[in-house]
Amino acid sequence: QVQLQESGPGLMKPSETLSLTCTVSGGSVSSGGYYWSWIRQPPRKGLEWIGYIYSTGSTNYNPSLKSRVTISLDTSKNQFSLKLSSVSAADTAVYYCARYRTRAVEAFDIWGQGTMVTVSS
Amino acid sequence: DIQMTQSPSSPSASVGDRVTITCRASQSISTYLNWYQLKPGTAPNLLIYAASSLQSGVPSRFSGSGSGTDFTLTISSLQPEDFATYYCQQSYSPPHTFGQGTKLQI
């Protein structure tokens, strides 16, 4: 079955650019009908959708983060990535990658386990 | 953005209890409402999609209902593994937004 696994640095300094990668196994990021997504959860807070990318490369970002976010696809490695620029302590969170399934489901049906990112000087 | 409000936030419950969690949207979202279960250190799990459809592999004690702005998630008989945090999420229009979560505790 399809599995997702996040990877990236656990600790960052303010003003740096966060880079995370999600590796997809058991399925292809080139498959139609799915958006490849990033979602985060700050400590003691709820879930926040960051954005997603379709197999065609089309993206949609949360307006609250749009100016700092880039999501890209690497079909040769079956991965997708998140870049978040100018991070601050407010970006400290568990970051999840997830598959958003369209075609009658319209939900995040498969998630990675999440990776904790801490921003601290 | 569509705001999602859940209640209660952290109810106490016991094994065997029937538990109901409610979610209200700030505008009508038809049945574009999903429910997730989160446990620390594990991948979040989709329980219910389209307000009332049970995701494959999810136990039948979980059920969902509602349309428009008011929705409920019901656990008919709480099991030890159900103590977790539950979130609703609207997929009516981006940005996809979640409720603030309901943490079930003993």
Side-chain angles (χ1 to χ4, degrees), chain A residues 64-98:
Chain A
S64 67
L65 296 167
K66 187 174 183 177
S67 64
R68 298 194 292 131
V69 171
T70 303
I71 296 176
S72 58
L73 211 55
D74 187 337
T75 56
S76 67
K77 296 181 179 179
N78 213 32
Q79 296 174 334
F80 61 104
S81 299
L82 168 70
K83 289 191 186 299
L84 182 65
S85 63
S86 304
V87 298
S88 68
D91 296 308
T92 293
V94 175
Y95 285 76
Y96 296 99
C97 59

Side-chain angles (χ1 to χ4, degrees), chain A residues 41 49 52 100 106-108 111-112, chain B residues 34 36 43-44 87 91 95-96 98:
Chain A
Q41 184 175 28
W49 174 71
Y52 51 34
Y100 183 84
E106 304 289 347
F108 300 99
W111 298 59
Chain B
N34 308 308
Y36 302 89
Y87 289 88
S91 54
H96 298 282
F98 294 82

